[in-house]
């Protein structure tokens, strides 16, 4: 009887969720009719970038140029050169027009096709998801596939939460006082859909990450790594940590400047963090190499790095920037130890994979926090 009641409760919960999904889908269709889907997604990413500039390196459209430029307007009523009458009317009345007009009215001008392509891709993904809400199994399958793809985009679980938060903030702000305004029921429906989205995209990412930990490094790769590691241990782990730090502290700042990310106010404190993590990562690589399994690869590595993950999460401010700087410094240090002739492209690739495995193990633990 208890088992039947549990199943009945699950069916009831699913039925209630499905009704909420229908409301979210209807709202999404309405946003298409008023040409606001693209606008909301675009502004969501602009807001994320503004509030979290350290995420810029994750998106290709932020790596070479800004996807938008900002118009400085002190007084919309007085500035007739920067904004035309239609745009000023949008700002003053709150009447929603087309996507490009709204972005202009919101003082952002899109001038990068890669940014538009990214927004269109996200828009299409949400539409595909909406098309599958009638079939729950298909919906879950699609979402998990989306999550799996995001592993290769360097995204992981906290990013999905961030998108959910900013999507709702942006949509509520842009749609206020319109026929598409988000009321409590619509907000509840979107939140229910996002909870399903986050849970199953996280599942897809985690599954892909686990597969990567198990299979990314081949036996031949490990033979290369273990042979090199003997030379590294002879050189000294602390010494190579110093080599990496001395190279990395400059590379880190260069990347921050190139990405137009504000430099930390206390650079001395930042350098201390870089030095600490540089040395810790070398010992993290040692742990990884020592616990490699022919059967399971590095699948057990996250559990071995639990304490290390906590320290890493505390001191790494710009993870993607840090990774780029560390990778560069690691190859530089290995080249000094091994010699230019021995650090061929294939060996650089192998060591790059090993560091990514270490990083993925850390990210697994971060996602569990």
């Amino acid at each position: 009887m208890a088992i039947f009641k549990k199943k009945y409760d699950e069916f009831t919960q699913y039925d209630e969720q499905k009704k909420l999904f229908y409301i979210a889908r209807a709202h999404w269709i309405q946003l298409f009719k008023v040409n606001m889907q693209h606008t909301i997604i675009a502004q969501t990413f602009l807001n994320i970038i503004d509030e979290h500039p350290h995420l810029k390196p994750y998106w290709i459209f932020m790596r070479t140029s800004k996807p938008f430029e900002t118009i400085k307007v002190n007084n919309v009523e007085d500035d007739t050169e920067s904004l035309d009458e239609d745009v000023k009317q949008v700002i003053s009345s709150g009447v929603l027009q087309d996507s490009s007009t709204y972005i202009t009215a919101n003082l952002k001008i899109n001038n990068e096709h890669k940014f538009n392509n990214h927004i269109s891709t996200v828009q299409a993904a949400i539409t595909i998801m909406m098309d599958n809400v009638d079939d729950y199994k298909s919906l879950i399958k699609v979402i998990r596939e989306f999550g799996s793809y995001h592993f290769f985009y360097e995204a992981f679980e906290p990013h999905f939460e961030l998108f959910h938060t900013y999507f709702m903030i942006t949509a509520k702000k842009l749609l206020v006082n319109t026929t598409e305004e988000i009321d409590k029921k619509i907000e509840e429906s979107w939140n229910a859909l996002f909870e399903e989205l986050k849970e199953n995209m996280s599942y897809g990412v985690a599954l892909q990450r686990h597969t990567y930990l198990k299979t990314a490094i081949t036996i031949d790769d490990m033979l290369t790594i273990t042979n090199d590691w003997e030379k590294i241990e002879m050189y000294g782990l602390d010494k190579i940590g110093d080599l990496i730090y001395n190279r990395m502290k400059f590379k880190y700042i260069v990347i921050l400047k190139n990405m137009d990310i504000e430099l930390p106010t206390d650079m001395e404190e930042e350098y201390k963090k870089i030095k600490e993590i540089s040395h810790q990562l070398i010992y993290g690589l040692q742990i990884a190499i020592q616990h490699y399994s022919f059967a399971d690869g590095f699948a057990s590595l996250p559990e071995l790095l639990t304490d290390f993950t906590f320290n890493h999460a505390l001191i790494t401010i710009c993870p993607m920037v840090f990774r780029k700087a560390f990778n560069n410094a690691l190859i530089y240090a290995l080249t000094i130890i091994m010699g230019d002739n021995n650090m061929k492209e294939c060996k650089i690739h192998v060591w790059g994979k090993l560091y990514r495995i270490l990083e993925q193990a850390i990210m697994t633990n971060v996602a569990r926090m």
Side-chain angles (χ1 to χ4, degrees):
M1 187 68 179
I3 296 175
F4 176 78
K5 185 178 184 305
K6 181 180 178 182
K7 287 185 176 180
Y8 178 78
D9 290 341
E10 289 176 352
F11 291 146
T12 303
Q13 183 182 5
Y14 164 67
D15 188 54
E16 291 298 321
Q17 271 192 316
K18 197 170 183 179
K19 291 176 183 176
L20 290 174
F21 295 168
Y22 288 154
I23 295 172
R25 180 170 66 179
H27 189 245
W28 182 247
I29 292 171
Q30 282 301 114
L31 294 180
F32 174 78
K33 291 179 180 178
V34 296
N35 202 18
M36 282 300 295
Q37 290 181 354
H38 189 278
T39 300
I40 291 172
I41 298 169
Q43 194 60 49
T44 296
F45 279 100
L46 295 179
N47 290 342
I48 291 174
I49 291 167
D50 283 343
E51 295 296 324
H52 303 276
H54 67 280
L55 295 177
K56 287 181 180 181
Y58 283 95
W59 293 302
I60 191 169
F61 52 80
M62 290 301 303
R63 293 175 191 171
T64 54
S65 61
K66 296 181 181 180
F68 58 85
E69 58 186 21
T70 301
I71 308 172
K72 295 182 179 179
V73 180
N74 295 324
N75 191 319
V76 173
E77 297 299 327
D78 297 336
D79 196 319
T80 56
E81 294 181 358
S82 298
L83 300 174
D84 59 29
E85 289 301 323
D86 291 337
V87 174
K88 286 195 286 185
Q89 185 179 0
V90 172
I91 296 176
S92 59
S93 67
V95 177
L96 299 178
Q97 298 181 19
D98 62 82
S99 174
S100 59
T101 301
Y102 186 82
I103 292 177
T104 306
N106 204 36
L107 312 184
K108 305 289 185 185
I109 295 181
N110 177 21
N111 59 16
E112 174 58 78
H113 73 279
K114 291 178 182 177
F115 179 67
N116 259 332
N117 290 344
H118 179 75
I119 301 309
S120 297
T121 300
V122 175
Q123 181 182 3
I126 295 176
T127 300
I128 291 171
M129 184 176 66
M130 294 297 186
D131 289 342
N132 283 274
V133 296
D134 293 306
D135 186 342
Y136 187 69
K137 286 186 177 180
S138 295
L139 176 64
I140 299 307
K141 182 176 182 292
V142 166
I143 296 175
R144 288 180 177 180
E145 286 177 354
F146 287 162
S148 180
Y149 301 153
H150 276 72
F151 170 82
F152 300 101
Y153 305 147
E154 311 295 346
F156 75 127
E157 291 84 339
H159 295 156
F160 307 147
E161 184 68 45
L162 197 66
F163 183 81
H164 174 197
T165 300
Y166 278 89
F167 180 92
M168 295 306 299
I169 291 172
T170 303
K172 284 192 281 188
K173 183 177 180 180
L174 298 191
L175 300 173
V176 68
N177 297 327
T178 70
T179 55
E180 284 71 43
E181 184 172 14
I182 296 181
D183 58 23
K184 288 185 178 180
K185 195 64 178 179
I186 293 175
E187 182 176 4
E188 182 186 3
S189 68
W190 272 108
N191 284 334
L193 191 60
F194 266 113
E195 289 303 320
E196 197 73 58
L197 181 72
K198 289 184 295 185
E199 179 182 346
N200 287 286
M201 283 192 71
S202 296
Y203 179 92
V205 168
L207 184 62
Q208 192 66 54
R209 189 165 53 223
H210 181 74
T211 301
Y212 187 83
L213 289 173
K214 285 188 68 173
T215 63
I217 293 290
T218 66
I219 295 176
D220 286 337
D221 291 339
M222 279 308 297
L223 289 174
T224 298
I225 290 168
T226 51
N227 287 335
D228 289 347
W229 194 253
E230 291 179 7
K231 298 175 184 177
I232 292 170
E233 288 186 324
M234 288 178 62
Y235 185 85
L237 298 189
D238 289 332
K239 284 179 66 178
I240 193 173
D242 288 336
L243 272 179
I244 290 172
Y245 163 68
N246 289 328
R247 171 80 172 190
M248 186 179 171
K249 64 181 180 180
F250 297 111
K251 189 67 177 177
Y252 184 67
I253 301 304
V254 167
I255 296 174
L256 287 177
K257 287 184 176 180
N258 288 341
M259 293 301 305
D260 194 27
I261 299 174
E262 187 176 347
L263 297 179
T265 53
D266 188 347
M267 284 309 304
E268 288 302 317
E269 184 63 27
E270 189 73 3
Y271 285 145
K272 288 180 183 177
K273 294 176 181 180
I274 291 173
K275 186 172 185 177
E276 182 179 353
I277 197 68
S278 298
H279 283 77
Q280 286 187 356
L281 284 172
I282 289 297
Y283 284 95
L285 290 173
Q286 183 184 48
I287 292 171
I289 293 168
Q290 289 174 344
H291 292 86
Y292 173 79
S293 162
F294 286 113
D296 296 318
F298 295 98
S300 64
L301 189 57
E303 286 71 24
L304 299 170
L305 296 177
T306 303
D307 294 337
F308 172 74
T309 300
F310 181 73
N311 295 333
H312 184 272
L314 285 179
I315 67 176
T316 302
I317 296 176
C318 298
M320 178 67 85
V321 176
F322 193 94
R323 177 222 270 185
K324 289 177 179 292
F326 185 87
N327 253 331
N328 177 275
L330 175 63
I331 300 305
Y332 168 80
L334 290 174
T335 302
I336 290 177
I337 297 171
M338 309 295 172
D340 285 333
N341 293 333
N342 292 321
M343 284 303 291
K344 303 296 184 183
E345 189 67 32
C346 58
K347 183 172 287 193
I348 292 173
H349 177 67
V350 168
W351 277 99
K353 282 200 297 182
L354 181 63
Y355 174 67
R356 185 154 195 251
I357 280 171
L358 180 65
E359 185 182 59
Q360 291 302 316
I362 294 169
M363 291 169 74
T364 299
N365 290 334
V366 170
R368 293 171 179 172
M369 286 181 173

